[in-house]
Structures are given as C-alpha cells and as structure tokens.
Amino acid sequence: MIEVDIEEERKEILKRYRRLLRQAKPILKDGDAKLIKRAFNVSLEAHKDMRRKSGEPYIYHPLEVALVCVEEIGLGTTSIVSALLHDVVEDTEWELEDIEREFGYKVMTIIDGLTKIAGVFEYGSSQQAENFRKMLLTLSDDVRVILIKLADRLNNMRTLSSMPRHKQLKIASETMYLYAPLAHRLGLYAIKSELEDLYLKYTDTATYKDIVFKINESKSHRNKFIRSFILPIEDELKRIGLEFTIKGRPKSVYSIYNKMKKQGIPFEEVYDLFAVRIILESDLENEKADCWQVYSIVTDFYRPNPDRLRDWISTPRSNGYESLHTTVMSGTGQWVEVQIRTERMDEIAERGYAAHWKYKDKENSKGPSGLDDWITQVRGLLESNDGNAIEFMDDFRGNLFHDEVFVFTPKGDLKVLPFGSTALDFAFEIHTEVGAKCIGAKVNQRLVPISHKLKNGDQVEILTSNKQKPSEDWLNNVVTTRAKAKIKDALREDKKSAILDGREIVQRKMKQMKMEFNSESVEKLRAFFELKTANEFYFRVGIGAIDPTSIKSFKDFKATQKLQNKSSQEKVRDESSFTKEIKSLKGPDHDQLLIGEDMDVVDYILAKCCNPIPGDDVFGFVTVNEGIKIHRTSCPNALELLSNHGNRVIKARWTSQKEIAFLAGLRIIGTDRVGLINDVTKVISNELKVNMRSITVDSDAGIFEGTIKLYVHSTEHLDKLIENLIEVDGILKVSRFD
C-alpha cells in the first residue's frame, strides 16, 4: 500500500489548476474565470475518491486534458469547462441534465459526445467503433468534441506506462488506427507526431529506443551541420530586411521508423533525418511573394531536387496546411528538407483546426476551406450511413490519411480529391445524380472509363446516361467516402425492391405447390439453399440467381436433412477422436504460451498472417470459430484487431521453451558470386542445425536476392542465425518477413 501525503497532493492539484488559468488568461472574457473555477470544483468533488492506475488522484487527468486544449490546440473557455467535466457523467452520479442546468446546453452536448455508450452490441460490431461513431455524430454540431477527445487521448498515451500490457496494446493500436489519422486530418501535426511516436514506444519498444538513442547520439553533429547550413541564408535574409526565425528539427521517431520500414534501409541511410524551417513575419497580402523570395535565396546557395518541390501555398492542403517545401543538396553532399512559411501558416500547421478558424474569422474572404468541405462530407457520411459501425469506421478512415490530387472541372473550378481517386469519384463529387448516371468521362479531352485514376492538373468532363445505375462492382472503382456512401445507398434501395419481388415470387410458388408459407418453412428453404438470412434468399430469387422452379426440390429437403445430420454426426465423432490422438502424441507439455489474466496454459492456434515464434511479443485474440489465435504485436492485422475488437484481446506470453520448431521467413540481399548459396546453406544446416522448408533465389546483374523459410526454436535462435548469415562474404542484408 503506497503512503499518500494528502496535503502534498492538494498543493499539487492547486498548482496544476493555477497553471491552467495562467495559460488561459489571454483568452478569458468577463465571468470566464468563475465558470472555469466552478467546473474545476465540480470535477474535484465528483472524482475525489478516484485514482488513476498510476496511483495519482484522478483530477490530474481532466486538468491535463484542459491544459492540452488551451496550450497545444488553442481552444477557449467552453472547451476548458468541457475538458474538466468530460469524465463526470461516465464515472460518477452526475447526469447530462445536471451538466446542462449548471453549465448550459453547449457544454452538455460536447460532454454527451465524449461519453461512451454503455450496453451490449450486435454481433459484427464493436464497442470502440460504436463509441467513435457516436462521437463523430456530434461533429455535425460541434467540432470541439473531436478536439477535446484528441486532448484526452494524448494525455492517456502520455500516461500509458502505468497500464497493463494488453491494455497498452489496445489503447496504442486504437490511437494509431483512428486518432493519429484524425489529428492529421484536422491539421494538428504536433499532436499527430507525438501520438505516432508513443504508439511505437509501446508496441515496438526496442526499435523505438534504438532510434531515439541514434537521434540523440547524432545530436551535436546535427546541430553543428544545421548551424553551418543556415549561416549564409541567415546573412542574406538579414541583408534584405526580412524578419524571420529558423529552426532545425529532427523528424519524428515514427516517421524515421516508417521510412526505414518502407524503403528497407537502416537508420544510417535515412537521408532526410531532419528539416530546416524558415518562419517569416509577413503581412497577409505579401505572404506568397515573401515565401517565394526566400525559396529563391535558399536555391541560390543550394541546388534543389526538382522532384521534391511541394507548393502548398498556392493550393493549401484540404486540412488548411500551407507551406513551401523543397529538398536541397548541402555543401557536404547531404539532402536537407527546407520548409518555408509565415507565422500565420506555422500556427495553422502546429495547431490545425482551432488556429485555422481564428485566422478565417480575420480574413473572412476566402469562402469555405477544404476543412469546411471535409466536415460537410463527414456529416453527409453520418447521415447516409445505416450499416454497422465497423463498416462505417473503415469508410471514414479511408479518407483520413490520403495524399491529394488537384483536378479541374470543364469551367476551370478546382476540386481536391484523395490520391487514387477515379473519374467516378469526381462524378460523385460534382453531384449524387451525376455520379449515379456516370458512364465514363473525358479527361483532357480523351475518353476514359469510370475506373480511370486521376492525376494532378487533369481537366475532367463527366458523361452520363439516364439508363445507367450503380452496381456492386462500382465500390471497387472509388476511394472517396462520399462516393462509397452514395453507391451503398443506391444498392440498398435496389436490394430492398429485389427482396420484395423475391418474397412475392416465393409466396406464389409455394401456394402453387400447396405448401404453407410461414417463417418455419422459409427458414428451412434458407437452410436448403445454404444462405445466411431469409432476406438473402428472397434477394437471390428476386434477381434471378435462384430459379423459382428449383423450390420444387424442397420436397426432398427433409430426407436430405436426415442424411446430412447422420454424416455430420459421424464427422464430429471422427474429429473428436482425431483431436484426442493428436494430444496424446504431443504430450501434456506441448503448449508453451501462458494466456489470460490467470496466465493459464490453454489451447491456441498460431496466426498464419504473422507466424509468431517463442520470444516474439504476442497477444491472444478470441475468434468466433477457431478459439484463441496468437498474433505478433507487429502483425499486419494487429492494428485493426486491437482497435475494433479490444474486448476480445487477451494477454499472452511465452514461458521457457522446449525444443519445438516454428516456421519463420528470411529475406537475403547481396552481391552474387560463385558458391554463395553453398555458404548460406552451410551456415543454416551445418553450423546451427536448422531445417529449411524452402529456398528461392534470384540473381540479376550481379545482385542476389533470396527468401528462405526455415524452422527455428525462438527469436534468440533466429537472431543468432541472422548474425551468422550477415558475416557470409557478399551478404549485405538479412531481414525477417511474415
């Protein structure tokens, strides 16, 4: 039991509260301080007997969330009050009506959006997805719900070390799956980067620590390099009288990790480890000219890479981001990314949505921005979506992390679409009716099909026909959330009418056959045709996929059923005796995983998608039909499983191992020479006594590439093998693959 100094805690709570007020002071209007004090006192009283997993008083959490809202997102009094009270309804006796009475309707709706849904969810959905959909519904009224939720999530991630391992995995994966992309979409780059870094810290700790160590190790050399790089630029900017600040900052740990993974390179080969940012003091009307003037100065001193110029000043990103990026070659032969922007652009880049609105009110001239358009799109998606929450989540996520393409209508209007958008996406962007009747398009005066992918600068004219209507395969030809939602709507309408037609046909046919039409007989028909639901059966009949005359064979259904029952009983008997036989061969000590809260030894299956081996960081997932499956935490499917079905995740860890072999894969790259394969197989078979399942080798222009599947006992065994293979003459790189 930890000794608690109540007096010290009280002082610390007041200290944090005063810091919040200090940060909020510049934005407070008359009466705001009193309102914040009242919210703080309510929260303090409501959470007085609660503690966090770390043992700290619970009130620290709402205080920290409110501080993030002010300090890092730039929100105002309503958000501070809502942040202080955000867990009160969920965790205490307070009701939403009490919040509305004390703090008003606005605060109540925000807290309602932040309060999780209680209860049981239908099969195929998940609590996380339902809660997220509920929170997004409030986006239609007040975007602050999402911003406060991001602040809440950031504080949870910062204090994740006190949580048990399986909870860390669930929360970190959910963050990476949803909240980091959402922060990106709302332009909150600083928060997005920190969430990604913290995700890596808890899901692949060794890699995270290794990158952090290498970044810190190269810090003094990097600072020295940046000083010499910016010196001539600084002198020239001062000479022409521009006011500016220059920052040199390393890329985030996660973005370095991502680059290493995508390009298959070590840390030392990531060339753009840091970016130099030049921030100008500039009037609104001179911003563009000033930024291009600085670009001209930078490229006078250093040669730019023409493929790496990004102009988000002329056409800002749809989340409001504006900046001019170029990559230049330094005097020492190193590529450096230079970002040029004004103070206004920098605040929007760091604080995203809130700063964007602050400046939008001042300018009030540019009309709706890309961010406004996106929020309108999300509203449309929410209104049209009546599928399950996981399907909704997938559609929603699809539109968060995309790069963009800029295309034009025949009249020259600019449309910004996600990268990979097709002519059909463009048609739905113009209007739902245009999309639904689209038969093709003219791109730059050339006729193309609806599946044609658009490129930057394309001018698109949509061709329509009144006879055209959406079909199922259209969903494979679109990437935008809007197009997917509208196609699904149209298909649902078609399906409803096909179901009604099918029902009538079945009813008529059964009447002809003098059979009773009731739920029991329809259920038997459904089983006979091996379909999941009665509606699916009606639908198949309605579209002609099931011939109504084949219903006659239903007469033999009972006889068929008896035969099936008999054979399936025999099959079950066979399977159970087979399982017993396998268990007796394996012996009682075969299972080497401890699973669940009590760390029991229970049966499990190793997931084929990632082939875990002893020593890997793993988790258990309770499947619907196959019992417990074990996945690596770095499995390609881990993010989706942990995010959408966290309630089905259980703890799992390896115990000391017996000599059991597990399949693993290695990818080898090197320079080809005579006898190389012989040397590789010697290391594998003779030195380390490892059994190979397969080896495939390809040699092209002196470069050797091979993949080997082999059986190892643990990660230690595999690491030793990789170490020995790297020492073979000519081998440049050895890496594990799933």
Side-chain angles (χ1 to χ4, degrees):
M1 188 78 179
I2 303 164
E3 285 290 317
V4 176
D5 187 333
I6 301 296
E7 188 53 35
E8 277 304 308
E9 276 187 356
R10 198 180 67 79
K11 282 180 189 168
E12 180 61 28
I13 291 166
L14 282 173
K15 186 174 143 191
R16 292 182 187 218
Y17 170 63
R18 286 186 187 122
R19 184 182 165 198
L20 172 66
L21 283 182
R22 262 198 319 277
Q23 291 296 328
K25 197 176 180 183
I27 55 155
L28 296 185
K29 299 184 188 75
D30 291 346
D32 284 357
K34 278 185 182 172
L35 194 64
I36 291 169
K37 187 179 182 182
R38 190 144 48 97
F40 167 67
N41 285 330
V42 166
S43 188
L44 186 61
E45 178 59 28
H47 296 301
K48 66 179 179 195
D49 298 323
M50 293 170 67
R51 291 196 170 266
R52 300 196 80 190
K53 280 273 190 287
S54 58
E56 293 177 336
Y58 195 87
I59 189 68
Y60 285 4
H61 172 63
L63 277 168
E64 290 300 317
V65 173
L67 194 61
V68 171
C69 287
V70 180
E71 215 171 18
E72 299 177 52
I73 306 178
L75 296 173
T77 303
T78 305
S79 301
I80 296 170
V81 169
S82 303
L84 287 169
L85 300 168
H86 77 274
D87 278 335
V88 163
V89 172
E90 202 171 294
D91 297 342
T92 74
E93 299 298 311
W94 274 69
E95 300 287 343
L96 285 168
E97 295 77 28
D98 305 326
I99 298 285
E100 186 176 9
R101 189 180 60 249
E102 292 288 323
F103 299 97
Y105 178 76
K106 254 300 174 231
V107 172
M108 185 274 286
T109 54
I110 291 173
I111 288 170
D112 183 29
L114 291 163
T115 302
K116 293 193 188 97
I117 308 167
V120 180
F121 295 91
E122 60 179 89
Y123 169 72
S125 187
S126 85
Q127 187 154 359
Q128 287 110 309
E130 292 287 359
N131 281 322
F132 197 78
R133 175 156 69 175
K134 180 195 174 201
M135 185 180 71
L136 278 175
L137 280 165
T138 330
L139 178 69
S140 308
D141 307 315
D142 203 323
V143 75
R144 286 175 292 193
V145 174
I146 306 291
L147 298 170
I148 296 165
K149 186 66 194 174
L150 282 169
D152 176 40
R153 182 49 58 127
L154 182 61
N155 183 248
N156 285 334
M157 288 296 285
R158 285 171 175 171
T159 54
L160 203 56
S161 57
S162 55
M163 298 297 269
R165 178 77 184 130
H166 66 299
K167 280 274 178 68
Q168 286 179 350
L169 284 176
K170 173 187 165 305
I171 293 166
S173 298
E174 193 179 272
T175 300
M176 193 63 188
Y177 189 71
L178 283 173
Y179 294 102
L182 192 55
H184 170 87
R185 196 62 187 73
L186 291 169
L188 296 159
Y189 286 106
I191 288 177
K192 169 225 169 193
S193 296
E194 190 176 345
L195 289 175
E196 287 175 339
D197 285 359
L198 288 165
Y199 161 77
L200 188 62
K201 181 181 178 180
Y202 289 104
T203 54
D204 193 346
T205 312
T207 305
Y208 174 83
K209 283 181 175 171
D210 186 46
I211 295 172
V212 169
F213 173 75
K214 284 174 176 167
I215 289 172
N216 292 336
E217 199 180 32
S218 60
K219 192 175 181 180
S220 60
H221 170 72
R222 190 171 61 245
N223 289 345
K224 192 176 164 189
F225 173 83
I226 289 170
R227 276 197 300 277
S228 66
F229 177 84
I230 64 178
L231 196 62
I233 300 169
E234 271 185 324
D235 290 345
E236 186 59 21
L237 291 177
K238 281 174 186 166
R239 192 185 68 75
I240 62 170
L242 281 174
E243 293 292 320
F244 64 92
T245 52
I246 298 186
K247 299 174 186 172
R249 51 168 63 185
K251 280 189 177 298
S252 71
V253 178
Y254 183 79
S255 64
I256 292 170
Y257 160 79
N258 215 18
K259 193 152 270 195
M260 286 162 62
K261 201 169 153 193
K262 268 187 185 167
Q263 297 177 6
I265 53 175
F267 177 89
E268 291 68 26
E269 287 175 34
V270 179
Y271 71 80
D272 51 350
L273 275 172
F274 55 87
V276 169
R277 186 174 295 163
I278 302 169
I279 302 161
L280 306 169
E281 281 182 39
S282 180
D283 300 331
L284 198 60
E285 59 272 16
N286 298 325
E287 280 189 335
K288 205 168 167 182
D290 288 348
C291 288
W292 281 109
Q293 190 178 5
V294 173
Y295 171 79
S296 172
I297 288 165
V298 170
T299 53
D300 281 346
F301 289 108
Y302 304 108
R303 189 175 290 278
N305 180 337
D307 297 330
R308 302 276 298 171
L309 175 65
R310 301 284 182 269
D311 174 13
W312 286 304
I313 293 176
S314 306
T315 44
R317 278 179 164 175
S318 56
N319 58 14
Y321 181 83
E322 293 173 72
S323 194
L324 193 55
H325 292 197
T326 181
T327 302
V328 297
M329 177 65 78
S330 71
T332 56
Q334 193 173 348
W335 289 108
V336 180
E337 185 181 42
V338 181
Q339 301 170 354
I340 303 160
R341 57 176 75 151
T342 63
E343 285 178 338
R344 178 190 69 82
M345 295 171 188
D346 192 54
E347 194 178 350
I348 288 173
E350 292 298 315
R351 289 183 156 191
Y353 195 97
H356 167 81
W357 252 251
K358 177 175 120 183
Y359 287 108
K360 188 168 177 289
D361 291 344
K362 283 183 188 173
E363 297 158 41
N364 220 6
S365 58
K366 291 188 179 176
S369 68
L371 218 41
D372 292 312
D373 292 342
W374 178 70
I375 285 172
T376 308
Q377 270 182 27
V378 172
R379 283 174 191 156
L381 176 66
L382 288 158
E383 282 156 18
S384 67
N385 185 280
D386 56 358
N388 77 29
I390 289 178
E391 189 183 299
F392 165 76
M393 286 299 315
D394 288 342
D395 284 352
F396 179 76
R397 271 188 87 240
N399 253 19
L400 287 177
F401 245 157
H402 276 299
D403 284 336
E404 290 152 352
V405 286
F406 300 94
V407 290
F408 297 90
T409 67
K411 289 182 179 174
D413 294 333
L414 175 69
K415 296 281 177 191
V416 183
L417 294 168
F419 182 77
S421 289
T422 60
L424 190 54
D425 282 304
F426 182 86
F428 276 103
E429 189 65 24
I430 300 297
H431 195 276
T432 305
E433 283 301 304
V434 175
K437 292 175 180 175
C438 176
I439 53 167
K442 277 186 184 174
V443 173
N444 308 327
Q445 302 302 313
R446 192 168 60 86
L447 208 59
V448 297
I450 59 172
S451 58
H452 176 82
K453 286 191 179 175
L454 303 174
K455 296 196 286 291
N456 273 330
D458 280 348
Q459 193 163 21
V460 190
E461 182 188 342
I462 297 299
L463 307 173
T464 60
S465 161
N466 287 329
K467 290 178 181 173
Q468 179 69 298
K469 58 187 234 178
S471 62
E472 191 84 35
D473 60 336
W474 275 25
L475 289 168
N476 301 323
N477 293 326
V478 291
V479 298
T480 59
T481 310
R482 179 190 173 89
K484 281 183 183 172
K486 296 301 177 190
I487 293 166
K488 283 176 185 173
D489 280 353
L491 293 175
R492 266 194 286 272
E493 285 307 309
D494 284 354
K495 192 165 184 177
K496 274 180 196 168
S497 68
I499 287 169
L500 290 172
D501 292 348
R503 194 173 190 280
E504 276 181 36
I505 294 167
V506 171
Q507 198 169 359
R508 211 167 44 241
K509 204 77 198 159
M510 289 180 81
K511 200 175 179 184
Q512 284 172 12
M513 290 165 61
K514 296 189 169 49
M515 288 181 68
E516 208 177 322
F517 178 78
N518 57 27
S519 56
E520 194 182 335
S521 57
V522 170
E523 183 55 29
K524 286 179 180 175
L525 264 170
R526 177 205 62 74
F528 178 63
F529 285 102
E530 296 180 346
L531 293 166
K532 286 182 181 173
T533 63
N535 276 350
E536 194 63 36
F537 169 60
Y538 292 143
F539 174 68
R540 295 287 179 90
V541 174
I543 61 170
I546 292 177
D547 186 349
T549 56
S550 65
I551 294 174
K552 283 183 180 176
S553 53
F554 179 55
K555 292 261 184 183
D556 308 324
F557 183 65
K558 283 182 182 174
T560 311
Q561 210 176 25
K562 276 181 186 172
L563 283 169
Q564 281 178 345
N565 284 345
K566 193 179 175 188
S567 67
S568 68
Q569 278 169 358
E570 284 169 11
K571 193 176 171 190
V572 167
R573 265 204 300 277
D574 284 352
E575 279 181 8
S576 61
S577 60
F578 177 69
T579 308
K580 274 182 190 167
E581 201 175 316
I582 287 292
K583 278 198 172 172
S584 68
L585 287 169
K586 280 182 179 177
D589 295 331
H590 171 72
D591 286 320
Q592 297 298 311
L593 260 185
L594 299 182
I595 293 173
E597 288 300 320
D598 302 324
M599 287 282 123
D600 290 332
V601 175
V602 295
D603 277 348
Y604 60 86
I605 299 168
L606 295 175
K608 294 262 191 320
C609 47
C610 56
N611 289 322
I613 63 174
D616 279 337
D617 207 353
V618 291
F619 65 90
F621 185 76
V622 183
T623 63
V624 178
N625 301 319
E626 299 177 279
I628 294 168
K629 267 194 175 175
I630 303 300
H631 293 262
R632 280 160 62 188
T633 54
S634 58
C635 169
N637 298 319
L639 202 59
E640 202 268 332
L641 294 175
L642 290 159
S643 302
N644 278 333
H645 308 283
N647 56 322
R648 284 158 61 186
V649 172
I650 50 175
K651 277 195 275 194
R653 67 177 172 81
W654 298 100
T655 59
S656 55
Q657 293 304 312
K658 295 241 167 50
E659 293 295 293
I660 303 164
F662 294 83
L663 188 65
L666 290 181
R667 188 169 281 112
I668 297 178
I669 297 171
T671 50
D672 202 6
R673 63 172 173 81
V674 176
L676 181 64
I677 294 191
N678 189 31
D679 290 350
V680 166
T681 50
K682 258 189 204 164
V683 166
I684 294 170
S685 304
N686 300 356
E687 288 181 33
L688 284 165
K689 305 281 186 288
V690 174
N691 285 330
M692 277 190 290
R693 188 168 96 171
S694 67
I695 179 165
T696 54
V697 177
D698 189 22
S699 181
D700 184 23
I703 298 295
F704 161 95
E705 275 195 51
T707 58
I708 304 169
K709 290 181 183 173
L710 33 73
Y711 290 95
V712 293
H713 305 308
S714 65
T715 46
E716 211 177 308
H717 191 195
L718 188 63
D719 290 343
K720 181 77 181 131
L721 180 60
I722 290 171
E723 238 174 77
N724 288 18
L725 284 170
I726 281 283
E727 286 171 18
V728 173
D729 186 28
I731 298 289
L732 300 175
K733 190 178 169 200
V734 182
S735 57
R736 179 180 174 184
F737 67 89
D738 296 332

